[in-house]
Amino acid sequence: MNFRGRRGTGPRKQKRPNETNMDVNEDSSPVAKLFKTYQIELDTRYDKYERLVKKSRDLTIESKRIIFLLHRVSSDSNKDEILKEAENRLNDLFKDVISGISLELSKREFYQFLRAFSPGLQEFVEAISFYYYLKHEKLVHIGEIHNPDFVQKSSENIRWVPSKPLMVVDTFHFMATACQASVLKGEAVVQL
């Protein structure tokens, strides 16, 4: 005997006609309709969360690439062209990804989805702070990071406040890495 996939030799159980009618009645009940609306709302929220996580990953990856680009500043001869390229990439990143994050959110949803996009924005702020330090030789002010375009494109005037102490620590970390690279290259004077 061959029992692949079936236990027993009897005929398969088929639905009775009144059982199918019960399924239709259950789907049209008020409770089923209510749960269907909950399902749609939760699916929509989950999809938005995943879109924001993806944009945050894109933001993190490109910000890290910009930081690595800025680490290549080793002399005054290539400093201007690297800073120009970094500035263009930061502007493109702001226009494409951060504006997309801003358009996805409303004021109520901002704190609900903060964990989805916060890591990307923090990495972006780190890239801006390192770029700003290399260009102006001073730390960036929090007011300069708040670009008015980000606030204006959001429907409810969303304002994201990055952690200033973390920003400063990361900037010092980047400076220390640049100093180590200069020492390893044999440069006697380290200038950032």
Side-chain angles (χ1 to χ4, degrees):
M1 283 193 194
N2 189 356
F3 291 108
R4 291 186 191 176
R6 285 187 61 189
R7 303 286 177 182
T9 57
R12 291 183 186 241
K13 184 179 177 184
Q14 296 184 3
K15 286 189 174 185
R16 294 181 213 147
N18 61 355
E19 285 180 8
T20 57
N21 291 339
M22 286 179 58
D23 292 339
V24 171
N25 290 337
E26 287 177 11
D27 289 342
S28 63
S29 72
V31 174
K33 289 179 183 178
L34 182 65
F35 276 103
K36 186 68 174 173
T37 58
Y38 290 153
Q39 176 191 4
I40 292 169
E41 182 179 339
L42 288 173
D43 287 345
T44 304
R45 187 176 298 163
Y46 181 74
D47 291 343
K48 181 180 277 194
Y49 185 87
E50 289 301 315
R51 285 192 305 272
L52 289 170
V53 166
K54 183 185 179 308
K55 289 178 183 182
S56 177
R57 284 187 198 133
D58 294 344
L59 190 58
T60 300
I61 290 168
E62 187 59 27
S63 295
K64 285 189 181 291
R65 288 179 182 157
I66 292 169
I67 290 169
F68 293 144
L69 171 71
L70 291 171
H71 276 296
R72 294 185 198 140
V73 173
S74 60
S75 65
D76 290 333
S77 63
N78 69 349
K79 183 177 180 178
D80 292 334
E81 58 190 53
I82 288 177
L83 288 176
K84 185 64 176 166
E85 182 182 347
E87 182 179 359
N88 291 338
R89 289 170 72 173
L90 284 168
N91 288 335
D92 291 343
L93 194 58
F94 184 83
K95 288 177 190 172
D96 297 338
V97 181
I98 293 181
S99 297
I101 290 173
S102 176
L103 292 174
E104 285 274 349
L105 298 172
S106 68
K107 187 170 187 160
R108 183 189 74 136
E109 296 172 331
F110 179 75
Y111 292 104
Q112 181 180 8
F113 293 109
L114 185 63
R115 290 182 63 194
F117 63 89
S118 181
L121 284 177
Q122 289 175 13
E123 197 68 36
F124 180 73
V125 169
E126 291 170 17
I128 287 178
S129 64
F130 191 41
Y131 164 78
Y132 191 87
Y133 180 79
L134 289 175
K135 185 172 184 176
H136 301 287
E137 296 181 355
K138 63 180 183 176
L139 291 177
V140 65
H141 188 270
I142 194 76
E144 296 176 38
I145 291 175
H146 288 291
N147 192 324
D149 290 337
F150 182 63
V151 177
Q152 289 172 358
K153 286 188 179 182
S154 63
S155 58
E156 300 290 333
N157 289 336
I158 297 169
R159 184 148 246 202
W160 178 74
V161 180
S163 172
K164 181 73 173 182
L166 289 178
M167 231 175 57
V168 171
V169 168
D170 284 334
T171 303
F172 286 133
H173 169 75
F174 297 141
M175 291 172 15
T177 305
C179 289
Q180 288 173 353
S182 295
V183 169
L184 289 174
K185 289 178 185 176
E187 296 177 3
V189 178
V190 178
Q191 289 193 0
L192 294 176

